[in-house]
């Protein structure tokens, strides 16, 4: 029997209280996605959905704790309300750790939203605010030919919640896809890392909670809010994306 796949979730933020109480942090949100994705993968000899995942949580914001790379097979960087381009100690340390992961060949890396941007920054790409504004709720990600091969889909439907972007695709890195509001929706280096700007881990309920909270705070206009809420519960490809992540982590 294969040993469990050891995945370290680097929590780059704390969810809203309702989500946090339900999932015990973004660790729980991703654990739920990855377990469902292992089930959907349907390859119990390679990855048993019940025993094949060893998912640990690491608070890189307040505790600034990190795994020893010899103890894990993969590192996943979560989303965050923080700006990936900020010059603050915990983000700078996260970029440095990400660069260490990128500089070795065994531990693989997955980046989600803020995590996608941190990987971009670690690779030397410019990250910052989009001049297209917010991209929210279920949107289409138009895949490149390489993206279609990786995900096995013609396009991806994925939850979005961002206004920051990776502004250019780093040299010698595979661009996975784009959208009208974000030209760099995913990055890929075979055997090393895969990232997406969207949130495959978000359910309609999670997305709706975030939209409502940010609307009340005045971050979203009434028009933005109603448009986003109309799409938050749409079908999306989160589990299919999660299955692709797992296949990437399992391949030799």
């Amino acid at each position: 029997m294969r040993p469990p796949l050891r995945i370290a979730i680097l929590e780059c933020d704390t969810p809203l209280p309702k989500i946090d109480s339900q999932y015990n942090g973004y660790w729980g949100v991703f654990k739920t996605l990855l377990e469902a994705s292992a089930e959907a993968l349907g390859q119990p000899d390679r990855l048993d959905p019940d025993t094949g995942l060893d998912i640990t949580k690491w608070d890189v914001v307040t505790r600034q704790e990190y795994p020893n790379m010899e103890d894990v097979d993969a590192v996943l960087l979560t989303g965050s309300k923080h700006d990936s381009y900020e010059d603050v100690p915990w983000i700078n340390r996260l970029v440095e750790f990400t660069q260490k992961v990128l500089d070795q060949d065994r531990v693989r890396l997955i980046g989600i939203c803020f995590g996608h941007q941190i990987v971009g920054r670690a690779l030397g790409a410019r990250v910052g605010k989009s001049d297209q504004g917010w991209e929210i709720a279920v949107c289409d990600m138009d895949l490149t030919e390489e993206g279609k091969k990786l995900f096995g889909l013609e396009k991806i439907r994925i939850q979005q919640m961002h206004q920051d972007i990776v502004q250019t695709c780093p040299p010698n890195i595979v661009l996975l896809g784009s959208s009208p509001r974000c030209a760099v929706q995913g990055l890929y280096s075979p055997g090393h890392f895969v990232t997406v700007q969207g949130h495959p881990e978000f359910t309609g309920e999670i997305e709706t909670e975030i939209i409502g909270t940010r609307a009340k705070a005045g971050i979203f206009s009434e028009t933005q809010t109603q448009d986003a809420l109309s799409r938050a519960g749409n079908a999306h490809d989160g589990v299919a994306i999660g299955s692709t992540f797992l296949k990437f982590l399992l391949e030799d």
Side-chain angles (χ1 to χ4, degrees):
M1 181 181 289
R2 273 186 96 110
L5 192 57
R6 302 169 299 171
I7 304 174
I9 306 293
L10 305 194
E11 293 187 308
C12 304
D13 199 0
T14 302
L16 292 170
K18 182 177 177 182
I19 301 165
D20 197 22
S21 65
Q22 182 177 352
Y23 289 97
N24 187 22
Y26 280 119
W27 165 84
V29 177
F30 277 100
K31 185 172 184 287
T32 300
L33 172 70
L34 292 171
E35 288 175 347
S37 300
E39 188 74 42
L41 193 59
Q43 299 179 17
D45 54 325
R46 296 183 72 205
L47 185 65
D48 188 297
D50 297 319
T51 62
L53 293 170
D54 177 9
I55 303 172
T56 54
K57 63 186 295 183
W58 304 83
D59 174 3
V60 300
V61 183
T62 53
R63 294 183 183 174
Q64 294 192 35
E65 56 185 9
Y66 287 85
N68 293 318
M69 277 195 275
E70 57 266 28
D71 296 333
V72 297
D73 303 306
V75 171
L76 186 152
L77 280 62
T78 73
S80 178
K81 64 178 174 288
H82 301 284
D83 294 326
S84 57
Y85 46 85
E86 280 188 291
D87 180 14
V88 297
W90 79 265
I91 292 180
N92 292 340
R93 186 175 177 193
L94 178 61
V95 173
E96 289 171 5
F97 179 81
T98 301
Q99 287 169 333
K100 287 180 183 176
V101 179
L102 292 170
D103 286 342
Q104 53 78 62
D105 292 326
R106 190 186 66 80
V107 177
R108 298 189 180 182
L109 183 61
I110 296 171
I112 306 296
C113 194
F114 171 89
H116 156 79
Q117 296 159 21
I118 291 292
V119 173
R121 178 175 165 180
L123 290 166
R126 221 163 30 131
V127 295
K129 289 232 177 331
S130 169
D131 58 10
Q132 299 294 313
W134 284 92
E135 190 172 29
I136 318 169
V138 177
C139 300
D140 287 350
M141 172 178 166
D142 297 317
L143 296 173
T144 61
E145 290 307 310
E146 293 88 348
K148 291 175 184 178
K149 289 175 190 172
L150 181 68
F151 291 106
L153 297 166
E154 284 300 303
K155 68 176 180 180
I156 280 175
R157 300 163 299 172
I158 188 169
Q159 296 278 12
Q160 299 278 2
M161 181 58 68
H162 73 102
Q163 62 176 336
D164 294 345
I165 59 169
V166 177
Q167 296 180 338
T168 55
C169 183
N172 304 314
I173 301 300
V174 175
L175 176 66
L176 291 176
S178 62
S179 72
R181 288 183 177 271
C182 177
V184 182
Q185 281 280 353
L187 300 170
Y188 177 52
S189 177
H192 291 95
F193 66 82
V194 61
T195 74
V196 290
Q197 176 58 69
H199 287 276
E201 79 281 14
F202 279 4
T203 64
E205 291 77 14
I206 291 173
E207 186 83 14
T208 297
E209 181 74 9
I210 297 171
I211 293 167
T213 299
R214 292 186 170 178
K216 286 177 186 173
I219 296 170
F220 299 152
S221 69
E222 180 64 19
T223 301
Q224 281 177 310
T225 300
Q226 293 309 314
D227 173 60
L229 288 174
S230 73
R231 291 178 288 103
N234 287 359
H236 61 85
D237 297 307
V239 170
I241 296 166
S243 296
T244 296
F245 289 163
L246 293 175
K247 283 190 282 188
F248 160 72
L249 297 182
L250 289 167
E251 67 191 13
D252 295 328

